[in-house]
Amino acid sequence: MSAKSNRKHVFISHHHADDEHVSKLTDLLTKRGNDIRNSSIRAKPANQRRLDEGRVPDKVLKRLLRMKISWASTVVVLIGKETHSRPWVNWEVEQAHQQGKRIVGIYVRGGTEADVPENFEKYGSALVGWNTDRIIGAIDGTENEFQKPDGSSRTQVNPSSRSVC
């Protein structure tokens, strides 16, 4: 298989506190021969401060995020301890749905079923634990299962809203 066929354009939606897991995820997938192109925002400290202080208008941020989500073929949602309470993650999942993107949830260490964002429950395509084969399958669309953090199966909350292309 060529490197080009292993190229994956993703947008990784996550809580800022889970930034370290973004690098862990891309490193994990790269070690398996995947060429991961991530369009998500990872703000440098000075820019993060501007964001935290509300110095970047929401409409500017939303326009930027819509463009970055549009570029990706799959939106990956890292599900950590506080993901469910992050309004921007929920907004990104809704945007991904509106743009017809595949939406994949991945539990990070400490993430539970209670941490799954509301819009992911509505629009998610697959939900997997931290397992390389499962993650790659979910991103590629060959894995459509919804799992608990331990890897066992769980019921989809709203399966009628999902379609397979």
Side-chain angles (χ1 to χ4, degrees):
M1 196 176 280
S2 72
K4 186 175 181 178
S5 66
N6 287 339
R7 182 170 292 158
K8 299 174 185 344
H9 293 169
V10 298
F11 177 94
I12 303 175
S13 179
H14 64 286
H15 175 10
H16 178 64
D18 293 328
D19 271 353
E20 70 179 276
H21 297 293
V22 173
S23 296
K24 288 180 180 176
L25 177 63
T26 57
D27 290 348
L28 180 75
L29 299 177
T30 299
K31 286 179 185 172
R32 284 288 189 92
N34 295 286
D35 180 11
I36 303 300
R37 307 289 172 102
N38 175 18
S39 63
S40 64
I41 294 176
R42 297 182 69 192
K44 295 178 180 174
N47 290 335
Q48 185 61 50
R49 190 172 40 256
R50 291 181 65 220
L51 291 169
D52 292 343
E53 293 170 354
R55 293 170 37 199
V56 178
D58 283 356
K59 71 177 187 180
V60 171
L61 201 50
K62 285 181 177 179
R63 185 181 69 223
L64 176 64
L65 289 168
R66 273 193 294 270
M67 289 186 313
K68 290 179 170 282
I69 290 169
S70 175
W71 175 86
S73 58
T74 302
V75 171
V76 173
V77 182
L78 294 183
I79 300 173
K81 286 195 268 187
E82 297 180 33
T83 306
H84 69 286
S85 66
R86 310 311 301 171
W88 282 105
V89 171
N90 221 32
W91 184 86
E92 290 163 352
V93 171
E94 185 171 359
Q95 286 302 306
H97 171 71
Q98 289 176 359
Q99 293 185 28
K101 303 297 179 179
R102 181 167 178 77
I103 307 167
V104 172
I106 300 171
Y107 293 106
V108 298
R109 182 180 292 267
T112 68
E113 290 181 86
D115 298 316
V116 177
E118 178 183 349
N119 281 340
F120 184 86
E121 294 285 10
K122 291 180 189 172
Y123 309 124
S125 308
L127 177 59
V128 297
W130 195 266
N131 173 296
T132 308
D133 292 333
R134 296 281 185 160
I135 293 170
I136 291 171
I139 291 172
D140 288 343
T142 58
E143 173 71 61
N144 295 304
E145 185 178 0
F146 275 62
Q147 298 181 334
K148 297 176 182 177
D150 66 2
S152 61
S153 293
R154 66 167 269 199
T155 305
Q156 295 179 2
V157 172
N158 194 4
S160 62
S161 68
R162 295 174 188 90
S163 62
V164 177
C165 299

